Each structure stands twice: as C-alpha cells, then as structure tokens.
Amino acid sequence: MTIVLATFSGLIARLYMLRRDYRQYPSYPQGWAIHLFIGFIGALLGAILVPSLIEVEFAAVSFLLMAASQFREVRNIERSSLEKLEHTELVMRGTAYIEGIARVFEARNYLAIWTAFIVAIVSEMTIHAGWMVQIPAALAAGAIAAGVLNQLMRGPSIGDIADVKMTEIGFDGPILVVGGVSVMNVGLTTARERYLKQAVAAEIIPRDVEAKATLANIGQMQAIAHDAAAMVGVYMDVGEQEFTPLVRRDPESGKLVMVMIPSEDNQEAFLEAVSNVPVLETAIRKPLRSIAGRMMDGRG
Amino acid sequence: MDITPTNQVLAVITTDRDRVGGSAPIFYVDSFSELEKVAVYLSRVFMAAVHDLGHGVYIIVKH
C-alpha cells in the first residue's frame, strides 16, 4: 500500500513538473514518455526506501546510490541532445542555457524521489489509523512536498532582478546604436532601413550590484536573445546574420540592450518575453557577499 | 565535419581600387548601387554579414 501510494505520488509530482516546462523544452510525446518513465523509476526507489529501512535492509541505500548515477546520466543525455540540436536553432541557446536546462531535468527526478520518500514516511506513520486516514494524509503530504520543492526550485526571471523597458534605435553611420550602446556594424542600406522600420529594442537595467554582475554573463545574454526570440518569433531567415537578435552590454552602467526584428510588431509582448527569461543558475553572482564587493559598493 | 571560417574577412567589395589590398578576395565595383548589390549577393552566398568600413569599402564577415 505504502509503495503504491508513494510511487503514484512521485509520478504525479514528476508529471506536474513536466507540465510546467513547456517553454524550456518542447513537450513532444516521446520526451514525455522518457521523462515520465525515469520519474517513475525514481518514485519507486523513493517509495521502497522507507519500508526497506523499517525492515532494517540497508542494501536499499546502495541501490539508491546506483540510481543516482543513472539520473546523472539524464543530465548528460539532455545536454548532448540539446547541443546536437543547437545547429538547427536560428538563434543559439548557448552552452550556459543548455547546461541550465540539463540540470533542471536531473534535479526534477530527485524531486520525484523526495516526494515519494515523504509520502512513504507519512503512509508508514499513519498505517495503524486505517486507510481512511492513511491515503488522504499521504496524498496531502505528497502534494505539499511537491509544491514546496517546486517553489524552491524556481529561480528568478529577468523581470525580478532588472527593469525592462523599450528604448530607441538609431544609426551612427553604419553603426547600429540602441539606447546609447553601439551594437554592430550594419553594412547594407536596405538592412538599416529594415531596422529603423521594424526592429524593437529593450533596455534591461539591473536593480542592484548583484543583478549587474549576473547580467554581465555571456551565457545569460545569449539566453535572453534566444528566449525572447523563441517567444516573440524572429523575422530573419537562415544566413541573414545582420538580423540576428543581439544582446550587448553597456560597460558604463552595466545595463543590457537587446535588439531584434520580430515577426510581428508587438512591443508589449516583446517586453513580457524579455522579462520572463529565466535567470540562469550558473550566471548568478553575489559580489556583495564578499568584502571586496561591499567595499566597491561603498558599504565596507 | 563541417568547417566554416568565422570572424574572418571572406570578401572585400570596394569602389576605390587604391584603398584595399591583401589576401581576401576583392571585388571592384563602379557605383554605390552596384556595391550594395554585390554585397547582398555575397552575403547570401556566404551566409554572412556585411559591414561598412566607410569610403566605399564593404567587407563580408561570418560571425
């Protein structure tokens, strides 16, 4: 009973987390099948851990270790398949973003194990109270565990650490200037006209020193370009490098500017897309936690 | 394996013979409109970007 309940809860937890990552990864049926099955194995492991520990069977722990290495493999698989698909993207994800996605996929399996583990504990604790108590108590514990764990795993998005607003686009000779930052040299007159007519640009102004350091990460900049382009849609075709969405940094203030030519002009949607780009785990910097960082900020 | 040179000057297009030289392929053109036209053709062939260096000199660079 415990095992069935816990496995089921873990599986549901994994399904719940799969449902939420539509933006990071296309949720085609095959991907679903793979991750649900691995999640099921994880949930089963978490579930049998509790009864076997009660029976003083510590061999179960070594199986858990073996499983952990299997789940690490999930990360490798996700990483290599995303890297292979990178060439097929009009706007690259960048290695930092791929690494972030791969980590999330690995971590979610552990969350499924935890959920199943917690459900199994509650189920074993309430086993003498009869199934009328046991089943609702275990399921409630599972729902709370999955919700809390998922909330903890959610990182901030760009909108949480920076202000995003539209900015102006201009040309200084052939140089494309966005919000006072030189972005690139656009040679063709026709391309320049297209930029002036159709392009949208946003300024991403960090709210504090830590946000500034986080936004200075190249992987984060590429992730912004990729995700915004993926959400809004790009105008460019294969090989039209001058229309590639670009993110550049203003060394003066630490703000980022992003310019792209969207498939349709909708400034609201564009701003929403940029604000919703996740902050990459690997890009997060906390300079204020160091003495030197605080001295630079005048708080030392 | 597909090998593509990146961040290299793939071609130079110019209206002024005296301004350019070197090892990259150089295309001489007579007018600004021809300069733009050749630049578009070459950028599509190389799937690369066109940059304007001023004084009628364009370069094609793959990024």
Side-chain angles (χ1 to χ4, degrees):
Chain A
M1 184 63 159
T2 298
I3 293 172
V4 174
L5 262 180
T7 310
F8 177 71
S9 310
L11 189 62
I12 296 292
R14 185 71 188 92
L15 186 67
Y16 169 64
M17 287 179 251
L18 258 184
R19 195 173 55 80
R20 304 183 60 149
D21 64 8
Y22 66 97
R23 187 162 45 84
Q24 299 193 5
Y25 210 107
S27 55
Y28 31 69
Q30 282 89 341
W32 268 57
I34 294 165
H35 288 293
L36 271 187
F37 185 68
I38 296 171
F40 172 72
I41 297 173
L44 193 59
L45 269 168
I48 53 174
L49 198 60
V50 175
S52 59
L53 285 180
I54 289 170
E55 299 284 320
V56 205
E57 278 289 342
F58 293 113
V61 179
S62 54
F63 279 109
L64 200 63
L65 285 175
M66 220 164 72
S69 66
Q70 289 299 316
F71 291 127
R72 214 165 45 232
E73 202 58 28
V74 170
R75 171 146 129 204
N76 286 335
I77 292 165
E78 283 303 328
R79 185 198 293 125
S80 61
S81 79
L82 281 171
E83 268 169 4
K84 283 203 185 94
L85 290 171
E86 185 83 328
H87 300 290
T88 64
E89 298 280 346
L90 270 179
V91 186
M92 302 266 185
R93 278 196 179 87
T95 42
Y97 197 14
I98 289 179
E99 199 57 43
I101 296 172
R103 274 191 203 202
V104 167
F105 270 96
E106 184 189 359
R108 282 181 178 163
N109 284 310
Y110 297 135
L111 295 194
I113 298 182
W114 275 116
T115 308
F117 185 66
I118 288 165
V119 169
I121 290 175
V122 172
S123 165
E124 281 295 321
M125 269 162 43
T126 54
I127 201 158
H128 300 299
W131 66 270
M132 286 282 272
V133 179
Q134 188 192 10
I135 294 176
L139 290 183
I144 293 167
V148 168
L149 287 171
N150 211 359
Q151 208 58 39
L152 287 177
M153 292 284 293
R154 275 185 73 186
S157 54
I158 293 295
D160 296 331
I161 64 163
D163 296 310
V164 184
K165 58 172 197 234
M166 298 302 289
T167 188
E168 80 286 357
I169 299 160
F171 278 97
D172 173 15
I175 310 282
L176 174 64
V177 179
V178 175
V181 182
S182 302
V183 175
M184 69 163 157
N185 183 319
V186 180
L188 295 171
T189 329
T190 46
R192 272 178 237 161
E193 277 161 12
R194 174 137 288 143
Y195 261 105
L196 290 174
K197 214 165 67 191
Q198 283 175 280
V200 288
E203 252 181 347
I204 303 161
I205 304 159
R207 293 216 181 110
D208 53 31
V209 189
E210 303 198 324
K212 192 168 153 181
T214 302
L215 289 178
N217 182 289
I218 298 171
Q220 182 64 60
M221 286 157 72
Q222 188 59 41
I224 294 172
H226 170 84
D227 250 16
M231 281 186 259
V232 181
V234 277
Y235 175 85
M236 70 184 285
D237 185 16
V238 178
E240 289 185 322
Q241 287 201 327
E242 53 264 25
F243 298 138
T244 308
L246 281 177
V247 178
R248 287 290 178 266
R249 182 168 189 262
D250 178 21
E252 202 75 29
S253 63
K255 75 174 179 188
L256 299 185
V257 293
M258 152 136 199
V259 61
M260 68 175 286
I261 302 188
S263 52
E264 270 164 60
D265 187 23
N266 186 335
Q267 305 200 338
E268 291 284 302
F270 174 63
L271 283 182
E272 182 67 20
V274 174
S275 312
N276 277 329
V277 174
V279 174
L280 300 184
E281 200 176 277
T282 47
I284 295 174
R285 297 284 181 277
K286 302 270 184 198
L288 289 183
R289 300 240 172 116
S290 74
I291 295 167
R294 280 196 297 274
M295 282 162 75
M296 289 297 285
D297 202 36
R299 297 184 203 179
Chain B
M1 255 304 266
D2 208 16
I3 296 171
T4 14
T6 53
N7 292 328
Q8 276 182 31
V9 179
L10 295 175
V12 181
I13 311 128
T14 182
T15 49
D16 188 351
R17 282 180 175 265
D18 298 330
R19 280 189 178 273
V20 293
S23 62
I26 303 170
F27 296 82
Y28 299 111
V29 290
D30 295 326
S31 64
F32 179 74
S33 60
E34 203 188 341
L35 181 71
E36 287 264 321
K37 205 168 81 184
V38 174
V40 171
Y41 291 166
L42 285 174
S43 76
R44 293 296 169 266
V45 169
F46 288 125
M47 292 193 171
V50 181
H51 296 299
D52 181 357
L53 299 187
H55 304 286
V57 181
Y58 280 19
I59 56 171
I60 310 276
V61 181
K62 182 147 186 127
H63 294 286

PDB file of all heavy atoms in Angstrom, chain A residues 102-127:
ATOM      1  N   ALA A 102      19.658  21.119 -18.663  1.00  0.00           N
ATOM      2  CA  ALA A 102      20.046  19.744 -18.336  1.00  0.00           C
ATOM      3  C   ALA A 102      20.013  19.525 -16.831  1.00  0.00           C
ATOM      4  O   ALA A 102      19.537  18.492 -16.352  1.00  0.00           O
ATOM      5  CB  ALA A 102      21.436  19.450 -18.890  1.00  0.00           C
ATOM      6  N   ARG A 103      20.483  20.519 -16.074  1.00  0.00           N
ATOM      7  CA  ARG A 103      20.475  20.404 -14.620  1.00  0.00           C
ATOM      8  C   ARG A 103      19.068  20.294 -14.082  1.00  0.00           C
ATOM      9  O   ARG A 103      18.792  19.532 -13.165  1.00  0.00           O
ATOM     10  CB  ARG A 103      21.098  21.648 -14.007  1.00  0.00           C
ATOM     11  CG  ARG A 103      22.568  21.580 -13.907  1.00  0.00           C
ATOM     12  CD  ARG A 103      22.992  22.717 -13.048  1.00  0.00           C
ATOM     13  NE  ARG A 103      24.366  23.040 -13.330  1.00  0.00           N
ATOM     14  CZ  ARG A 103      25.124  23.691 -12.473  1.00  0.00           C
ATOM     15  NH1 ARG A 103      24.630  24.086 -11.328  1.00  0.00           N
ATOM     16  NH2 ARG A 103      26.363  23.955 -12.778  1.00  0.00           N
ATOM     17  N   VAL A 104      18.173  21.126 -14.638  1.00  0.00           N
ATOM     18  CA  VAL A 104      16.790  21.110 -14.179  1.00  0.00           C
ATOM     19  C   VAL A 104      16.194  19.713 -14.377  1.00  0.00           C
ATOM     20  O   VAL A 104      15.529  19.177 -13.499  1.00  0.00           O
ATOM     21  CB  VAL A 104      15.964  22.170 -14.927  1.00  0.00           C
ATOM     22  CG1 VAL A 104      14.479  21.962 -14.698  1.00  0.00           C
ATOM     23  CG2 VAL A 104      16.362  23.553 -14.471  1.00  0.00           C
ATOM     24  N   PHE A 105      16.486  19.115 -15.532  1.00  0.00           N
ATOM     25  CA  PHE A 105      15.928  17.789 -15.801  1.00  0.00           C
ATOM     26  C   PHE A 105      16.448  16.757 -14.803  1.00  0.00           C
ATOM     27  O   PHE A 105      15.704  15.879 -14.378  1.00  0.00           O
ATOM     28  CB  PHE A 105      16.257  17.354 -17.232  1.00  0.00           C
ATOM     29  CG  PHE A 105      15.204  17.792 -18.199  1.00  0.00           C
ATOM     30  CD1 PHE A 105      15.364  18.953 -18.915  1.00  0.00           C
ATOM     31  CD2 PHE A 105      14.054  17.051 -18.371  1.00  0.00           C
ATOM     32  CE1 PHE A 105      14.376  19.382 -19.792  1.00  0.00           C
ATOM     33  CE2 PHE A 105      13.070  17.472 -19.239  1.00  0.00           C
ATOM     34  CZ  PHE A 105      13.241  18.637 -19.951  1.00  0.00           C
ATOM     35  N   GLU A 106      17.719  16.874 -14.447  1.00  0.00           N
ATOM     36  CA  GLU A 106      18.264  15.928 -13.470  1.00  0.00           C
ATOM     37  C   GLU A 106      17.618  16.166 -12.109  1.00  0.00           C
ATOM     38  O   GLU A 106      17.131  15.238 -11.461  1.00  0.00           O
ATOM     39  CB  GLU A 106      19.780  16.114 -13.358  1.00  0.00           C
ATOM     40  CG  GLU A 106      20.417  15.100 -12.430  1.00  0.00           C
ATOM     41  CD  GLU A 106      21.867  15.398 -12.141  1.00  0.00           C
ATOM     42  OE1 GLU A 106      22.412  16.378 -12.671  1.00  0.00           O
ATOM     43  OE2 GLU A 106      22.463  14.636 -11.374  1.00  0.00           O
ATOM     44  N   ALA A 107      17.564  17.439 -11.720  1.00  0.00           N
ATOM     45  CA  ALA A 107      17.067  17.779 -10.384  1.00  0.00           C
ATOM     46  C   ALA A 107      15.618  17.346 -10.200  1.00  0.00           C
ATOM     47  O   ALA A 107      15.220  16.918  -9.121  1.00  0.00           O
ATOM     48  CB  ALA A 107      17.200  19.281 -10.162  1.00  0.00           C
ATOM     49  N   ARG A 108      14.841  17.432 -11.267  1.00  0.00           N
ATOM     50  CA  ARG A 108      13.424  17.094 -11.131  1.00  0.00           C
ATOM     51  C   ARG A 108      13.205  15.632 -10.789  1.00  0.00           C
ATOM     52  O   ARG A 108      12.236  15.287 -10.121  1.00  0.00           O
ATOM     53  CB  ARG A 108      12.685  17.452 -12.413  1.00  0.00           C
ATOM     54  CG  ARG A 108      12.426  18.921 -12.457  1.00  0.00           C
ATOM     55  CD  ARG A 108      11.695  19.335 -13.668  1.00  0.00           C
ATOM     56  NE  ARG A 108      11.441  20.772 -13.600  1.00  0.00           N
ATOM     57  CZ  ARG A 108      11.115  21.505 -14.621  1.00  0.00           C
ATOM     58  NH1 ARG A 108      11.010  20.956 -15.807  1.00  0.00           N
ATOM     59  NH2 ARG A 108      10.895  22.785 -14.481  1.00  0.00           N
ATOM     60  N   ASN A 109      14.116  14.782 -11.233  1.00  0.00           N
ATOM     61  CA  ASN A 109      13.995  13.376 -10.862  1.00  0.00           C
ATOM     62  C   ASN A 109      14.239  13.188  -9.376  1.00  0.00           C
ATOM     63  O   ASN A 109      13.578  12.381  -8.724  1.00  0.00           O
ATOM     64  CB  ASN A 109      14.980  12.527 -11.653  1.00  0.00           C
ATOM     65  CG  ASN A 109      14.492  12.338 -13.070  1.00  0.00           C
ATOM     66  OD1 ASN A 109      13.348  11.966 -13.281  1.00  0.00           O
ATOM     67  ND2 ASN A 109      15.341  12.610 -14.037  1.00  0.00           N
ATOM     68  N   TYR A 110      15.194  13.970  -8.843  1.00  0.00           N
ATOM     69  CA  TYR A 110      15.439  13.879  -7.404  1.00  0.00           C
ATOM     70  C   TYR A 110      14.225  14.370  -6.629  1.00  0.00           C
ATOM     71  O   TYR A 110      13.899  13.845  -5.568  1.00  0.00           O
ATOM     72  CB  TYR A 110      16.685  14.684  -7.025  1.00  0.00           C
ATOM     73  CG  TYR A 110      17.940  14.140  -7.666  1.00  0.00           C
ATOM     74  CD1 TYR A 110      18.869  14.970  -8.255  1.00  0.00           C
ATOM     75  CD2 TYR A 110      18.165  12.764  -7.692  1.00  0.00           C
ATOM     76  CE1 TYR A 110      20.002  14.460  -8.852  1.00  0.00           C
ATOM     77  CE2 TYR A 110      19.299  12.253  -8.290  1.00  0.00           C
ATOM     78  CZ  TYR A 110      20.215  13.101  -8.870  1.00  0.00           C
ATOM     79  OH  TYR A 110      21.325  12.595  -9.471  1.00  0.00           O
ATOM     80  N   LEU A 111      13.570  15.392  -7.186  1.00  0.00           N
ATOM     81  CA  LEU A 111      12.359  15.886  -6.524  1.00  0.00           C
ATOM     82  C   LEU A 111      11.290  14.801  -6.498  1.00  0.00           C
ATOM     83  O   LEU A 111      10.563  14.656  -5.511  1.00  0.00           O
ATOM     84  CB  LEU A 111      11.821  17.128  -7.239  1.00  0.00           C
ATOM     85  CG  LEU A 111      12.715  18.359  -7.201  1.00  0.00           C
ATOM     86  CD1 LEU A 111      11.944  19.586  -7.625  1.00  0.00           C
ATOM     87  CD2 LEU A 111      13.276  18.569  -5.811  1.00  0.00           C
ATOM     88  N   ALA A 112      11.204  14.031  -7.573  1.00  0.00           N
ATOM     89  CA  ALA A 112      10.241  12.920  -7.604  1.00  0.00           C
ATOM     90  C   ALA A 112      10.587  11.906  -6.518  1.00  0.00           C
ATOM     91  O   ALA A 112       9.699  11.378  -5.836  1.00  0.00           O
ATOM     92  CB  ALA A 112      10.241  12.260  -8.978  1.00  0.00           C
ATOM     93  N   ILE A 113      11.884  11.633  -6.333  1.00  0.00           N
ATOM     94  CA  ILE A 113      12.314  10.694  -5.291  1.00  0.00           C
ATOM     95  C   ILE A 113      11.922  11.235  -3.919  1.00  0.00           C
ATOM     96  O   ILE A 113      11.341  10.531  -3.099  1.00  0.00           O
ATOM     97  CB  ILE A 113      13.843  10.460  -5.341  1.00  0.00           C
ATOM     98  CG1 ILE A 113      14.221   9.830  -6.672  1.00  0.00           C
ATOM     99  CG2 ILE A 113      14.288   9.569  -4.176  1.00  0.00           C
ATOM    100  CD1 ILE A 113      15.688   9.528  -6.796  1.00  0.00           C
ATOM    101  N   TRP A 114      12.223  12.515  -3.671  1.00  0.00           N
ATOM    102  CA  TRP A 114      11.892  13.126  -2.380  1.00  0.00           C
ATOM    103  C   TRP A 114      10.401  13.039  -2.098  1.00  0.00           C
ATOM    104  O   TRP A 114       9.982  12.697  -0.995  1.00  0.00           O
ATOM    105  CB  TRP A 114      12.327  14.596  -2.349  1.00  0.00           C
ATOM    106  CG  TRP A 114      13.755  14.784  -1.966  1.00  0.00           C
ATOM    107  CD1 TRP A 114      14.742  15.303  -2.742  1.00  0.00           C
ATOM    108  CD2 TRP A 114      14.371  14.443  -0.725  1.00  0.00           C
ATOM    109  NE1 TRP A 114      15.937  15.295  -2.066  1.00  0.00           N
ATOM    110  CE2 TRP A 114      15.732  14.777  -0.825  1.00  0.00           C
ATOM    111  CE3 TRP A 114      13.905  13.876   0.457  1.00  0.00           C
ATOM    112  CZ2 TRP A 114      16.636  14.565   0.207  1.00  0.00           C
ATOM    113  CZ3 TRP A 114      14.800  13.662   1.498  1.00  0.00           C
ATOM    114  CH2 TRP A 114      16.148  14.011   1.360  1.00  0.00           C
ATOM    115  N   THR A 115       9.609  13.383  -3.098  1.00  0.00           N
ATOM    116  CA  THR A 115       8.163  13.354  -2.905  1.00  0.00           C
ATOM    117  C   THR A 115       7.710  11.952  -2.523  1.00  0.00           C
ATOM    118  O   THR A 115       6.968  11.768  -1.549  1.00  0.00           O
ATOM    119  CB  THR A 115       7.451  13.807  -4.196  1.00  0.00           C
ATOM    120  OG1 THR A 115       8.010  15.052  -4.591  1.00  0.00           O
ATOM    121  CG2 THR A 115       5.963  13.954  -3.984  1.00  0.00           C
ATOM    122  N   ALA A 116       8.183  10.964  -3.270  1.00  0.00           N
ATOM    123  CA  ALA A 116       7.795   9.588  -2.987  1.00  0.00           C
ATOM    124  C   ALA A 116       8.251   9.180  -1.588  1.00  0.00           C
ATOM    125  O   ALA A 116       7.524   8.498  -0.847  1.00  0.00           O
ATOM    126  CB  ALA A 116       8.403   8.656  -4.029  1.00  0.00           C
ATOM    127  N   PHE A 117       9.443   9.625  -1.215  1.00  0.00           N
ATOM    128  CA  PHE A 117      10.024   9.305   0.093  1.00  0.00           C
ATOM    129  C   PHE A 117       9.158   9.871   1.223  1.00  0.00           C
ATOM    130  O   PHE A 117       8.808   9.180   2.178  1.00  0.00           O
ATOM    131  CB  PHE A 117      11.440   9.894   0.140  1.00  0.00           C
ATOM    132  CG  PHE A 117      12.215   9.547   1.373  1.00  0.00           C
ATOM    133  CD1 PHE A 117      12.586   8.229   1.618  1.00  0.00           C
ATOM    134  CD2 PHE A 117      12.588  10.522   2.277  1.00  0.00           C
ATOM    135  CE1 PHE A 117      13.313   7.901   2.748  1.00  0.00           C
ATOM    136  CE2 PHE A 117      13.319  10.200   3.414  1.00  0.00           C
ATOM    137  CZ  PHE A 117      13.675   8.884   3.642  1.00  0.00           C
ATOM    138  N   ILE A 118       8.773  11.133   1.059  1.00  0.00           N
ATOM    139  CA  ILE A 118       7.959  11.789   2.099  1.00  0.00           C
ATOM    140  C   ILE A 118       6.589  11.117   2.207  1.00  0.00           C
ATOM    141  O   ILE A 118       6.098  10.835   3.302  1.00  0.00           O
ATOM    142  CB  ILE A 118       7.832  13.300   1.788  1.00  0.00           C
ATOM    143  CG1 ILE A 118       9.173  13.978   2.053  1.00  0.00           C
ATOM    144  CG2 ILE A 118       6.733  13.933   2.651  1.00  0.00           C
ATOM    145  CD1 ILE A 118       9.305  15.344   1.463  1.00  0.00           C
ATOM    146  N   VAL A 119       5.996  10.811   1.054  1.00  0.00           N
ATOM    147  CA  VAL A 119       4.694  10.138   1.050  1.00  0.00           C
ATOM    148  C   VAL A 119       4.807   8.779   1.743  1.00  0.00           C
ATOM    149  O   VAL A 119       3.951   8.405   2.554  1.00  0.00           O
ATOM    150  CB  VAL A 119       4.166   9.967  -0.393  1.00  0.00           C
ATOM    151  CG1 VAL A 119       2.964   9.046  -0.422  1.00  0.00           C
ATOM    152  CG2 VAL A 119       3.801  11.318  -0.972  1.00  0.00           C
ATOM    153  N   ALA A 120       5.892   8.068   1.476  1.00  0.00           N
ATOM    154  CA  ALA A 120       6.080   6.745   2.082  1.00  0.00           C
ATOM    155  C   ALA A 120       6.206   6.855   3.598  1.00  0.00           C
ATOM    156  O   ALA A 120       5.643   6.046   4.339  1.00  0.00           O
ATOM    157  CB  ALA A 120       7.314   6.075   1.488  1.00  0.00           C
ATOM    158  N   ILE A 121       6.927   7.882   4.059  1.00  0.00           N
ATOM    159  CA  ILE A 121       7.084   8.073   5.510  1.00  0.00           C
ATOM    160  C   ILE A 121       5.729   8.328   6.166  1.00  0.00           C
ATOM    161  O   ILE A 121       5.355   7.677   7.144  1.00  0.00           O
ATOM    162  CB  ILE A 121       8.044   9.261   5.809  1.00  0.00           C
ATOM    163  CG1 ILE A 121       9.474   8.886   5.421  1.00  0.00           C
ATOM    164  CG2 ILE A 121       7.990   9.633   7.287  1.00  0.00           C
ATOM    165  CD1 ILE A 121      10.457  10.023   5.566  1.00  0.00           C
ATOM    166  N   VAL A 122       4.979   9.279   5.578  1.00  0.00           N
ATOM    167  CA  VAL A 122       3.666   9.619   6.154  1.00  0.00           C
ATOM    168  C   VAL A 122       2.753   8.399   6.131  1.00  0.00           C
ATOM    169  O   VAL A 122       2.055   8.095   7.108  1.00  0.00           O
ATOM    170  CB  VAL A 122       3.034  10.795   5.376  1.00  0.00           C
ATOM    171  CG1 VAL A 122       1.603  11.024   5.826  1.00  0.00           C
ATOM    172  CG2 VAL A 122       3.860  12.052   5.583  1.00  0.00           C
ATOM    173  N   SER A 123       2.813   7.663   5.033  1.00  0.00           N
ATOM    174  CA  SER A 123       1.964   6.481   4.896  1.00  0.00           C
ATOM    175  C   SER A 123       2.306   5.423   5.945  1.00  0.00           C
ATOM    176  O   SER A 123       1.414   4.813   6.543  1.00  0.00           O
ATOM    177  CB  SER A 123       2.128   5.926   3.488  1.00  0.00           C
ATOM    178  OG  SER A 123       1.621   4.628   3.407  1.00  0.00           O
ATOM    179  N   GLU A 124       3.596   5.253   6.201  1.00  0.00           N
ATOM    180  CA  GLU A 124       4.011   4.267   7.214  1.00  0.00           C
ATOM    181  C   GLU A 124       3.628   4.724   8.616  1.00  0.00           C
ATOM    182  O   GLU A 124       3.291   3.921   9.478  1.00  0.00           O
ATOM    183  CB  GLU A 124       5.535   4.056   7.153  1.00  0.00           C
ATOM    184  CG  GLU A 124       5.983   3.148   6.021  1.00  0.00           C
ATOM    185  CD  GLU A 124       5.490   1.711   6.175  1.00  0.00           C
ATOM    186  OE1 GLU A 124       5.469   1.206   7.304  1.00  0.00           O
ATOM    187  OE2 GLU A 124       5.111   1.112   5.147  1.00  0.00           O
ATOM    188  N   MET A 125       3.677   6.057   8.819  1.00  0.00           N
ATOM    189  CA  MET A 125       3.356   6.585  10.150  1.00  0.00           C
ATOM    190  C   MET A 125       1.878   6.433  10.473  1.00  0.00           C
ATOM    191  O   MET A 125       1.499   6.234  11.627  1.00  0.00           O
ATOM    192  CB  MET A 125       3.752   8.072  10.223  1.00  0.00           C
ATOM    193  CG  MET A 125       5.181   8.253  10.726  1.00  0.00           C
ATOM    194  SD  MET A 125       5.890   9.866  10.354  1.00  0.00           S
ATOM    195  CE  MET A 125       4.586  10.984  10.704  1.00  0.00           C
ATOM    196  N   THR A 126       1.044   6.544   9.456  1.00  0.00           N
ATOM    197  CA  THR A 126      -0.401   6.512   9.687  1.00  0.00           C
ATOM    198  C   THR A 126      -1.003   5.139   9.379  1.00  0.00           C
ATOM    199  O   THR A 126      -2.210   4.994   9.256  1.00  0.00           O
ATOM    200  CB  THR A 126      -1.102   7.577   8.823  1.00  0.00           C
ATOM    201  OG1 THR A 126      -0.701   7.370   7.467  1.00  0.00           O
ATOM    202  CG2 THR A 126      -0.747   8.976   9.253  1.00  0.00           C
ATOM    203  N   ILE A 127      -0.135   4.128   9.255  1.00  0.00           N
ATOM    204  CA  ILE A 127      -0.618   2.820   8.781  1.00  0.00           C
ATOM    205  C   ILE A 127      -1.611   2.182   9.753  1.00  0.00           C
ATOM    206  O   ILE A 127      -2.510   1.454   9.346  1.00  0.00           O
ATOM    207  CB  ILE A 127       0.582   1.889   8.500  1.00  0.00           C
ATOM    208  CG1 ILE A 127       0.161   0.766   7.555  1.00  0.00           C
ATOM    209  CG2 ILE A 127       1.200   1.321   9.789  1.00  0.00           C
ATOM    210  CD1 ILE A 127       1.307   0.135   6.816  1.00  0.00           C
TER     211      ILE A 127
END
